[in-house]
Amino acid sequence: MIRLTVPSIDEDDVSAVAEVLRSGFLVSGPKVKAFEDAYAEYLGVPHCVSVPNCTCALHLSLLALGVGAGDKVAVCTYSWPATANAIRVLGADPVFVEIEAETFNMDPAALERTLAKHPAVKAVMPVHTFGGSADIEAIMAIAGKAGVPVVEDAACALGTEQGGKKAGTFGTFGCFSLHPRKAITTGEGGIVATHDKKLARDIKMLRNHGQDPDASRPDFVTFGFNLRLTELQGALGLSQLKKLERIIAARTAGAREYDRLLAGSEVRPPRSLPNSRHVYQSYVVLLPEDLAGKRDEVIAAMRKREIETTLGTYHMPLIRYYKEWGKFSPGDFPVTDDVASRAMTLPLYEGLPPSSQAAVVTALGECIREVRG
Ligand SMILES: Cc1ncc(COP(=O)(O)O)c(C=O)c1O
């Protein structure tokens, strides 16, 4: 079986976790703090706060911005449902914004129209989908003109850049995931990055029962949850972070190899903005137009050949919950309709040999012919 993804776990990662287990200090120790500091240094921001996953990171960011019941938040259409769910769990309403066909990311012109139509929008949430940069410079300019804060969903985008600046460091908050499908992992895990000291403190309080993080004795100054990372995860994150650039380089080389193998074929490789750095959390192609609606048959045919592939991500307005909630139908977001029906993720991870990539591309051609019949 050629797997879709395999995390890059080395012996030093295993030793780092074992060392914490042997120490007997499993929570609230120095590893989590050291991991947060190293992450902040990598991004070039003053504050990173760890949480149990990126869904929590998005939720707490919106909560810290005061988003609540009845508020509107502009969010792109094409993402893992966590992105819109972080808005709905606060009782707020997602206002979906169409994507660009080229990059699968929020279309800045569509955002501009949305903000003109909904002047009460309280936050803008673009996603750096699959590790490719959204046009975050344009999005920041449009949101800035409207005076609306930006929360970047950078779940898949650690190391992604536009104009030499890292994704997740443009907005008021940048939210990252450490799930095993991402470049580096702590099992489950998430990071909130921010330039704002007060907001970083608010996130720290919200993740720890509302306690003042700077007080020497417990002082519960607000409400909050228990959303802390363990020392096991902190230690794993620290050792994973050391190899991030090696992993990104390997994934980028794998992406270039797929680009070469697919050149001249009817399958469209992923594209990225000029002046940006794509980190290929996923390598997502577009199948030919006549296979719209038949992508799942292609995935099933690949599985029969022992190759694991999957769809790109979800057309959020058309998943059952949001479709019923917002009475959305096909045609409301035509670019997303098209991308979501043809996008397919190919296997990509650090140890994937070029011979396996060649086998994937050969099998893909065969499966396309088979599904066409
Ligand atoms: C774009 C996006 N946002 C948010 C999330 C949620 O991340 P987590 O699984 O860490 O909660 C994911 C997860 O894959 C994602 O792809």
Side-chain angles (χ1 to χ4, degrees), residues 55 101 137 206 238-239 337:
T55 307
E137 290 172 351
L206 287 168
L238 260 179
S239 73
D337 293 349

Side-chain angles (χ1 to χ4, degrees), residues 77-78 97-107 110 113 268 286 315 317-318 329-343:
T77 47
Y78 191 53
V97 181
E98 181 64 291
I99 56 166
E100 293 180 311
E102 285 294 294
T103 62
F104 312 146
N105 282 317
M106 181 182 274
D107 180 348
R113 288 194 294 277
R268 201 205 85 176
L286 279 187
H315 188 322
L318 292 187
S329 21
D332 292 343
F333 301 97
V335 178
T336 317
D337 293 349
D338 180 47
V339 168
S341 67
R342 296 196 286 131

Side-chain angles (χ1 to χ4, degrees), residues 52-56 58 79-80 82-83 127-129 153-156 176-179 182 188-190 281 313:
N53 52 61
C54 183
T55 307
C56 295
L58 295 167
S79 188
W80 180 243
T83 313
V127 177
H128 300 283
T129 310
D153 183 340
C156 306
F176 296 84
S177 174
L178 294 153
H179 180 273
K182 312 303 187 264
E188 298 277 3
Q281 178 271 335
T313 190

Side-chain angles (χ1 to χ4, degrees), residues 169-187:
T169 69
F170 289 80
T172 301
F173 289 113
C175 299
F176 296 84
S177 174
L178 294 153
H179 180 273
R181 268 197 70 185
K182 312 303 187 264
I184 62 165
T185 184
T186 56

